[in-house]
Amino acid sequence: MTQIFSPAADTWLRLFLVSLAALAAGSVVFAVGMARSDWYTDTRMHPAAQPVPFSHKHHAGQLGIDCRYCHASVAEGPHAGLPPTHTCMTCHSQVWTTAPMLAPVRASLADKAPLDWHRVARVPDYVYFRHDIHVAKGVGCVECHGRVDTMALTYRAVPLTMQFCLDCHRDPAPRLRPKSEITSMTWTPPKDATAARELGHRLMRAYGIRTGDITHCNVCHR
Amino acid sequence: MSAAPRTGFDLEAARRRLREEGGRRFWTSVDELTDDAGFRARLSAEFPSAAAMIDAPARRQFLKLMGASLLLTGTAACGDNRSDRARPYVDQPEGLVPGVPRRYATAVTLEGYAQPVLATTYDGRPTKLDGNPDHPATRGKSDAFMQAAIFGLYDPERSKEPTRNGETTTWGAVAAALVAARTRWQANGGEGLRFVMRRTTSPTLQRQFNALFREFPAARVHFSDAVGADERDAATTASFGRPLEIHYALDACDVVVSVDDDLVGPGPQQVRNALAWSTRRGDIAPGQGRTRLHAAESLPSLTGTVASTRLPANPSQMMPLLLAIAAALGATSARAPAPSGHGEAWVRRAVADLRRHAGRGLVTAGAHLDPRLQSLAFAINAHLGNVGQTVFYTEPVHAAFDQAQPLDALAEDIAAGAVNTLVVLDANPAYDAAGARRLRDLIPKVATRIHAGLYRDETASLCAWHLPLAHALESWSDARAVDGTASIVQPVIAPLYSTRNIHQIVEMLNGEIEPVADSAVRETWRRTFGEHFDARWRQSLHDGFVGGSQAQPVSVGASAPSPIEAEASTGALEIVFRPDPTVWDGRFANIAWLQELPKPVTKITWDNVVAISPTLADKLHFANGQIVEVTAGDAKVKGPVWIVPGQAGNTVALYLGYGRRAGGEISRGIGYDAFALRPSRDRWCTHGRILRVEGSATVATTQAHHRMDGFDFVREVTADAPRTPPPKDQSSFYPEWNGAAHAWGMTIDLDRCIGCNACIAACNVENNVAVVGKDQVARGREMLWLRVDRYYEGDIENPRAFFQPVPCMHCEKAPCEMGCPVHATVHSPEGLNQMVYNRCIGTRTCSSYCPYKVRRFNWYDYRKFGEADRAAKNPDVTVRSRGVMEKCTYCTQRIQAAHVAADKENRALRDGDIVTACQQACPTTAITFGDIKDPNAGVSQRRESGRHYVLLEEVGTRPRTTYLARWRDDGEAT
């Protein structure tokens, strides 16, 4: 009776099993790495296509327009709010009135049809995020939206994963700032680590931030 | 008894089973007592709702399904269907903050009466209605019809554009046709012009019609109300010479004797009566002047359930009973035959209580009863000096029309050829009139037929012109509440479709071409408010009612009732008609969500049944679900029979509102049309026969679903034992939770609960609870987060009934949390048992671990909805997808909103900041929610009341939802 297996068969089998294990382990590493990658979370990647190539760098950075001029409900409601076309036209009925770049804005006003933006900083639909409470408790715009005053076209600056949210909900102190600096893009906490920590804790007391029970599920999911 | 095995219901066997158990025993259904083998098997199955999924031979198919499921579970998680679009306003309305709800005071109507509401709108979309807390009649309380109005608004099957002979037309064409018609009417003063409408309380409609009748004096209006108050009006006219409105002050009553009057049952008076009843009943200890309620009724009603003593009595027995009361009190000289058996004892107690509390008592007779009987009740109240104390008379709240004629006259006139134009305004006589069958034949004989309504219903299909009406929430209008307070109805959303409101249509009849939506209403109130118009108009719109417009009591002479004598009972079967408790007279039949609301007493959904008594079932050998034919005169209807414990022996009940032939997919083809049997005189009761015919039907009832294992679900306290036993030690192996500043808890007072469903209704709207359909309900898959269990105790012919609302208990030691393999249900520091939908993988372990059976599973994707339904969803609550578990969250979205509001002001939460949807709706304040750590909170005080107890205390789950025991006061008068 001839042999069914060649002498190398054992080696091949071992090699196969090892590669299988390596592949499995590799897949896990790949999947985890992928889920955290900037590509998957769409962080610091190419900006989304927008109907108008709006530049925060120009408006917020160079012209110094306050965030709340356009995102007017950021302190009142869950949504920061996108500016109605009328807000754009308060200035653009005076300046750049014929710029071809702004044609969609003028068309929106003329047709009473809303501009159709792509959202840049968005969370999944099972997350109930509220802007107003974060602003009220001293979380600056820059914490989640990055230096929009340097972005010619807007992109997502931080991953906005659950990990990102929880880091701050577990230890809010380092991310707080005086209310006068909420919209500031350049404010930084004191250089000295102890002083920074001290300021954070003072702000937590002043704002009455509840620690411990802002990490449970129903705070964001319901 | 014959030796052959009996089929159908056996009263003796049921009684035997009740006795065998011994001791106190609660039971929920007749099936349980007949000990049907199939019923027992259904109950003992671990997952009755999963049982019917795979048919035998099953192994191969099971493997196939498993394989497919495994493959598909992976793919189900794929895909990103979120929209990343953001569309800002072009011109944002002043003061609007995206995502922050705004509230507007307005009103919807039931039976013409205003039901004052505060409408919550998100970005212009109304999503929830609540009572208006400032309104003098309802004080912010709700009923199921009012809660459901939001689904009426978004019903995708509403009429969307005017049609002529079924072809779409324009409002311009309608106006042109009306202008032409007006020329004809002007020539003859409106001879042959007839209007059909339901009774209305709208001052504007009255003013418009008066103008119309000045121009066309020969025109006539016919009121077509399936329920209405014809008998009540006849009674007040007989007693006082003119129709009057009757107002009961149940909060001032020490004793109430109800003769077939469902005071706290469904209907426009429910909220006011329930509120007043519970206020008086309050939280007082026995012996401190409780209000006692003695009810005699043919059908078990909510009033009978909460009554101190209840007497089942056939309709023909009502007259002798009331006569006996009147005679004993000396209010009548008529000869009163002695009532038999239980009736005698009931009368004796009622009379003793009434006499002792003269001036603080009340005798009521149902508005559907023989006017002579009602007159007698008025006379007794006058005799006892109750008038002005517990009962008030005012001028009618409904608008009176000089040119009004009964609906019968319309049929006669059409038959005589005297009608050339028929205008039906928001009524459906071809379905819900007593002589509907005749009208269906006659209406097509009229030359010009115009119908205006929300749906293309039975009457619309007979009319050439159909004009779609705007829903109340899209309309400018006005209406008066049950206490006479006028409300100006303002739209909370622009009309979704090409519709016009009823006032615009009457303006068009008055010669306008393009009437403005609010011009007629403004004109009415400009006349009323005079020079202060602008200020008072704004104030009334803001408040939701016109201040000080209540109907004022009038003094009436106590005229003797028309002489009556008790008629000898013929012994024939007495067939009574009732509006359905969830779809009313059929006007709500197309709202799927009301169809799925279990009827308060029978817990039946999606159907109407022929309700019979256990005695009759025993006599005729009927069993639940068998098809029977009910015959009265030459008319007959067929429907499934249902045995209702506590129903009077010789009474058969038929429920209106089903058997629709038109008016939307949902309403069509379910139930039988009880109107077919309804006589035009003596509308509420007739005589006839009942016969078993071939077949049986599945009736989807929830009464046996979600059953708990245990005992003593409902408890009672009495004057002798006014306290529940002290709580047992609840030691646990599990570590204690580290609590937060607050600990949320809820108490439900069973003494106040009237089982009215308002809480379920409010919960459903607030929490986007899905409708699953009759087939799924029959499998036990209804999604209601809050169920109201109904238990019986005692003899099947007159059991005591109990209602018990059961939401999630939010156990401190929650078995579900231990069971979940993926931590999808976890404990919050504030004690909430949180459900995290996006983690749930659907093992349903939590549900099998839950001793209270409050968890609901999404067996299918119930989210497939159109644009209109989508708009109705509460944006603060996730719309759950297939394969996830869900349950009551204590309205966690409201808790978070209150936290955010308090945190923004940097203050602590106050008692009352958080009101759950069920608590807000409850007309009797049975539900209290709050922080049990705060000793001053309402919920803590109720927990200290002495009547506090824990449901299934023996399982040691330490629930946060707890109950207050019911007072038992059916003993002899104290």
Side-chain angles (χ1 to χ4, degrees):
Chain A
M1 197 168 143
T2 52
Q3 284 200 334
I4 301 171
F5 295 109
S6 72
D10 226 21
T11 317
W12 279 116
L13 179 69
R14 286 191 184 120
L15 203 60
F16 173 72
L17 288 176
V18 167
S19 350
L20 206 66
L23 190 72
S27 309
V28 171
V29 171
F30 176 77
V32 171
M34 179 73 175
R36 295 176 177 209
S37 70
D38 283 355
W39 181 79
Y40 189 76
T41 58
D42 202 14
T43 310
R44 291 182 293 275
M45 300 297 284
H46 300 297
Q50 303 289 8
V52 180
F54 178 83
S55 167
H56 276 97
K57 182 179 179 183
H58 176 63
H59 290 87
Q62 292 160 356
L63 298 175
I65 299 172
D66 190 275
C67 307
R68 287 164 293 194
Y69 185 81
C70 298
H71 305 293
S73 56
V74 72
E76 277 80 51
H79 310 301
L82 286 175
T85 313
H86 265 258
T87 305
C88 309
M89 294 306 282
T90 43
C91 299
H92 289 296
S93 57
Q94 309 293 324
V95 296
W96 298 101
T97 49
T98 54
M101 205 188 274
L102 295 176
V105 183
R106 293 190 294 270
S108 158
L109 188 73
D111 306 342
K112 296 200 185 309
L115 283 162
D116 195 358
W117 301 97
H118 283 268
R119 299 186 65 181
V120 172
R122 67 190 171 111
V123 287
D125 54 4
Y126 47 82
V127 178
Y128 288 83
F129 176 83
R130 290 189 73 103
H131 277 91
D132 54 352
I133 189 64
H134 290 86
V135 170
K137 296 295 171 190
V139 182
C141 307
V142 75
E143 296 294 341
C144 304
H145 296 287
R147 289 290 302 271
V148 290
D149 62 326
T150 62
M151 299 180 191
L153 291 174
T154 317
Y155 54 86
R156 193 183 295 180
V158 297
L160 298 180
T161 55
M162 186 156 150
Q163 179 78 56
F164 172 81
C165 298
L166 276 174
D167 280 349
C168 188
H169 274 227
R170 284 177 179 141
D171 181 20
R175 305 272 164 58
L176 303 182
R177 52 175 66 198
K179 278 196 193 157
S180 55
E181 306 295 335
I182 289 291
T183 58
S184 167
M185 288 286 136
T186 51
W187 183 87
T188 48
K191 288 276 178 295
D192 174 35
T194 333
R197 196 81 208 160
E198 176 55 31
L199 174 68
H201 283 289
R202 241 187 22 248
L203 288 171
M204 274 183 69
R205 280 193 299 279
Y207 296 148
I209 292 176
R210 296 178 288 127
T211 46
D213 52 355
I214 55 170
T215 47
H216 68 259
C217 310
N218 277 177
V219 171
C220 309
H221 309 294
R222 54 187 87 130
Chain B
M1 191 187 274
S2 68
R6 281 189 58 146
T7 55
F9 178 72
D10 183 348
L11 188 58
E12 254 329 296
R15 284 214 170 110
R16 207 159 44 236
R17 259 189 78 74
L18 262 175
R19 272 199 308 273
E20 273 166 14
E21 299 287 332
R24 196 156 182 214
R25 177 167 194 250
F26 291 108
W27 47 281
T28 56
S29 65
V30 170
D31 298 322
E32 190 180 339
L33 295 183
T34 50
D35 200 24
D36 177 54
F39 181 74
R40 259 194 298 183
R42 236 178 11 257
L43 285 187
S44 57
E46 175 76 17
F47 274 107
S49 45
M53 284 184 69
I54 309 169
D55 302 325
R59 198 185 67 91
R60 193 167 275 226
Q61 199 189 355
F62 175 76
L63 284 173
K64 270 190 213 163
L65 277 174
M66 276 305 267
S69 309
L70 262 175
L71 272 172
L72 292 172
T73 39
T75 52
C78 296
D80 179 9
N81 51 12
R82 290 170 289 153
S83 164
D84 73 336
R85 313 303 266 189
R87 297 187 184 92
Y89 282 93
V90 173
D91 187 6
Q92 188 160 333
E94 183 89 25
L96 182 137
V97 183
V100 175
R102 308 178 101 190
R103 294 190 168 82
Y104 295 92
T106 180
V108 294
T109 58
L110 178 65
E111 286 291 303
Y113 292 104
Q115 295 186 298
V117 300
L118 282 188
T120 302
T121 69
Y122 280 89
D123 304 331
R125 296 179 293 109
T127 57
K128 176 84 167 64
L129 303 180
D130 284 301
N132 182 347
D134 298 329
H135 195 281
T138 64
R139 301 265 166 224
K141 307 304 182 187
S142 313
D143 67 9
F145 299 125
M146 186 252 260
Q147 290 289 343
I150 208 91
F151 295 101
L153 167 71
Y154 292 117
D155 187 346
E157 292 195 276
R158 263 172 56 196
S159 309
K160 298 183 175 67
E161 68 250 315
T163 54
R164 182 181 189 187
N165 298 325
E167 304 281 324
T168 302
T169 179
T170 63
W171 284 103
V174 176
L178 287 179
V179 166
R182 276 175 56 82
T183 328
R184 289 202 306 277
W185 305 335
Q186 271 154 349
N188 61 8
E191 197 67 52
L193 169 61
R194 300 303 174 94
F195 296 93
V196 178
M197 54 199 274
R198 291 186 178 131
R199 294 194 315 159
T200 175
T201 60
S202 165
T204 298
L205 210 54
Q206 187 176 26
R207 182 185 65 75
Q208 289 180 298
F209 264 93
N210 284 341
L212 201 68
F213 288 136
R214 268 198 302 280
E215 196 175 1
F216 309 118
R220 293 287 177 268
V221 61
H222 305 268
F223 286 107
S224 169
D225 286 282
V227 179
D230 294 358
E231 294 78 12
R232 177 60 45 93
D233 287 348
T236 48
T237 308
S239 281
F240 312 115
R242 65 187 194 281
L244 290 176
E245 193 91 15
I246 305 177
H247 305 264
Y248 299 131
L250 295 183
D251 48 348
C253 292
D254 285 343
V255 54
V256 180
V257 174
S258 150
V259 177
D260 216 11
D261 192 355
D262 195 4
L263 291 162
V264 298
Q269 305 281 351
Q270 180 176 41
V271 174
R272 178 166 69 157
N273 282 345
L275 177 62
W277 172 81
S278 67
T279 308
R280 177 66 188 83
R281 187 138 175 126
D283 206 357
I284 40 177
Q288 292 181 350
R290 289 155 297 148
T291 171
R292 290 164 62 85
L293 173 53
H294 302 285
E297 56 185 14
S298 316
L299 311 175
S301 71
L302 303 189
T303 308
T305 306
V306 299
S308 315
T309 63
R310 176 183 180 277
L311 175 75
N314 291 316
S316 58
Q317 291 170 285
M318 296 302 166
M319 184 77 87
L321 284 171
L322 195 62
L323 263 178
I325 292 175
L329 291 167
T332 179
S333 54
R335 188 184 56 84
S340 57
H342 298 295
E344 193 274 328
W346 184 83
V347 167
R348 188 162 41 77
R349 277 187 202 175
V351 167
D353 268 353
L354 281 171
R355 196 174 277 144
R356 188 173 302 112
H357 299 281
R360 300 277 296 169
L362 175 67
V363 178
T364 73
H368 58 278
L369 292 175
D370 185 334
R372 293 175 301 163
L373 198 61
Q374 297 187 49
S375 283
L376 187 58
F378 307 156
I380 300 175
N381 283 326
H383 179 74
L384 292 172
N386 296 336
V387 179
Q389 305 293 323
T390 60
V391 58
F392 299 88
Y393 299 99
T394 67
E395 295 300 332
V397 170
H398 283 97
F401 289 76
D402 291 339
Q403 277 85 346
Q405 282 193 343
L407 195 62
D408 300 347
L410 176 70
E412 298 309 322
D413 290 350
I414 297 178
V419 181
N420 56 44
T421 310
L422 184 66
V423 183
V424 183
L425 290 172
D426 198 18
N428 191 8
Y431 166 70
D432 65 15
R437 203 159 36 146
R438 181 151 181 242
L439 274 176
R440 281 198 289 274
D441 294 336
L442 284 171
I443 288 175
K445 297 204 168 90
V446 180
T448 311
R449 306 178 303 277
I450 303 168
H451 175 263
L454 286 167
Y455 295 97
R456 292 194 57 85
D457 56 22
E458 290 83 348
T459 310
S461 55
L462 299 176
C463 293
W465 291 91
H466 172 67
L467 316 181
L469 272 188
H471 189 268
L473 294 171
E474 304 169 319
S475 300
W476 282 99
S477 184
D478 47 15
R480 299 173 72 193
V482 283
D483 68 339
T485 302
S487 285
I488 296 172
V489 177
Q490 61 174 329
V492 291
I493 189 170
L496 295 169
Y497 312 114
S498 174
T499 56
R500 292 191 175 179
N501 67 46
I502 194 163
H503 304 295
Q504 284 174 295
I505 289 172
V506 181
E507 283 299 271
M508 290 172 80
L509 294 165
N510 265 326
E512 292 273 339
I513 305 295
E514 278 289 326
V516 180
D518 62 344
S519 63
V521 183
R522 273 177 189 271
E523 178 57 29
T524 308
W525 292 97
R526 188 170 280 120
R527 291 178 191 191
T528 311
F529 292 152
E531 55 180 307
H532 307 295
F533 173 73
D534 281 327
R536 291 199 63 189
W537 172 262
R538 280 183 159 277
Q539 190 65 39
S540 303
L541 286 182
H542 171 270
D543 296 347
F545 58 94
V546 180
S549 57
Q550 278 116 308
Q552 294 306 315
V554 293
S555 60
V556 291
S559 68
S562 35
I564 45 168
E565 293 218 356
E567 290 145 17
S569 171
T570 56
L573 218 51
E574 297 177 52
I575 301 169
V576 298
F577 301 88
R578 288 287 187 278
D580 186 88
T582 63
V583 305
W584 201 239
D585 57 5
R587 71 182 70 177
F588 300 117
N590 210 50
I591 302 177
W593 184 89
L594 275 176
Q595 293 277 12
E596 197 155 301
L597 200 60
K599 324 262 179 216
V601 174
T602 56
K603 301 291 165 198
I604 288 168
T605 61
W606 289 100
D607 229 331
N608 61 347
V609 290
V610 178
I612 62 168
S613 65
T615 330
L616 199 61
D618 180 61
K619 197 168 96 188
L620 303 171
H621 299 206
F622 286 169
N624 275 351
Q626 292 177 342
I627 304 293
V628 293
E629 191 174 70
V630 183
T631 319
D634 57 350
K636 49 184 76 169
V637 295
K638 270 188 221 169
V641 76
W642 200 254
I643 305 167
V644 178
Q647 184 158 325
N650 201 29
T651 307
V652 173
L654 303 181
Y655 289 91
L656 309 175
Y658 283 87
R660 299 287 305 269
R661 293 169 202 86
E665 278 301 315
I666 289 168
S667 57
R668 265 208 305 273
I670 47 177
Y672 60 86
D673 178 9
F675 288 104
L677 228 59
R678 205 175 180 206
S680 26
R681 304 246 171 271
D682 206 357
R683 301 182 300 159
W684 296 101
C685 187
T686 185
H687 297 280
R689 285 170 294 127
I690 186 167
L691 267 182
R692 170 97 207 271
V693 293
E694 268 309 297
S696 64
T698 307
V699 177
T701 167
T702 67
Q703 67 183 355
H705 299 167
H706 309 299
R707 289 165 65 99
M708 300 179 284
D709 268 340
F711 49 89
D712 259 4
F713 303 132
V714 290
R715 296 193 191 173
E716 287 184 292
V717 291
T718 59
D720 301 331
R723 299 182 75 82
T724 46
K728 294 195 186 77
D729 175 42
Q730 298 264 305
S731 48
S732 169
F733 288 120
Y734 290 103
E736 297 298 315
W737 297 103
N738 297 322
H742 306 283
W744 305 123
M746 179 183 276
T747 58
I748 300 176
D749 188 346
L750 298 186
D751 194 49
R752 288 169 181 251
C753 178
I754 56 169
C756 68
N757 277 350
C759 50
I760 306 182
C763 172
N764 283 2
V765 188
E766 172 73 18
N767 292 305
N768 301 333
V769 173
V771 169
V772 299
K774 180 178 176 179
D775 182 45
Q776 296 289 305
V777 173
R779 290 164 191 240
R781 295 177 182 174
E782 67 273 9
M783 298 299 286
L784 311 177
W785 282 8
L786 171 60
R787 66 175 194 265
V788 177
D789 284 339
R790 190 259 300 106
Y791 295 103
Y792 291 119
E793 184 206 15
D795 186 69
I796 192 164
E797 282 189 282
N798 187 17
R800 303 185 67 233
F802 301 84
F803 289 116
Q804 181 173 44
V806 186
C808 175
M809 296 285 128
H810 291 272
C811 309
E812 283 173 17
K813 305 291 172 201
C816 54
E817 291 170 13
M818 318 303 171
C820 182
V822 292
H823 285 274
T825 182
V826 289
H827 214 71
S828 93
E830 294 177 337
L832 255 56
N833 176 246
Q834 307 172 117
M835 186 65 223
V836 191
Y837 308 120
N838 42 309
R839 272 187 186 166
C840 180
I841 57 168
T843 65
R844 308 194 298 279
T845 316
C846 52
S847 181
S848 58
Y849 279 23
C850 176
Y852 303 96
K853 294 290 166 252
V854 294
R855 289 179 162 267
R856 305 287 176 264
F857 186 66
N858 285 274
W859 291 91
Y860 291 100
D861 191 350
Y862 301 116
R863 297 174 303 165
K864 296 186 191 84
F865 37 59
E867 272 307 308
D869 312 284
R870 195 190 297 263
K873 301 288 178 210
N874 180 353
D876 283 341
V877 178
T878 304
V879 179
R880 282 79 58 185
S881 56
R882 207 193 87 186
V884 301
M885 194 56 86
E886 59 184 71
K887 59 151 198 105
C888 157
T889 63
Y890 270 175
C891 288
T892 185
Q893 67 281 5
R894 293 188 176 199
I895 298 176
Q896 291 309 324
H899 264 311
V900 166
D903 282 353
K904 277 170 77 176
E905 294 170 23
N906 219 344
R907 63 169 170 86
L909 279 174
R910 293 181 290 248
D911 189 33
D913 273 357
I914 304 161
V915 180
T916 63
C918 52
Q919 178 190 12
Q920 191 172 20
C922 180
T924 59
T925 343
I927 301 174
T928 319
F929 178 83
D931 182 1
I932 58 173
K933 276 189 177 172
D934 172 6
N936 298 317
V939 66
S940 305
Q941 285 169 357
R942 286 216 175 165
R943 286 167 75 97
E944 296 301 318
S945 73
R947 294 189 287 128
H948 184 243
Y949 76 93
V950 171
L951 184 61
L952 301 187
E953 191 180 17
E954 63 276 12
V955 297
T957 50
R958 297 194 210 170
R960 284 281 175 85
T961 307
T962 51
Y963 293 86
L964 299 189
R966 193 164 121 173
W967 288 121
R968 181 169 187 159
D969 58 354
D970 58 352
E972 289 297 313
T974 50

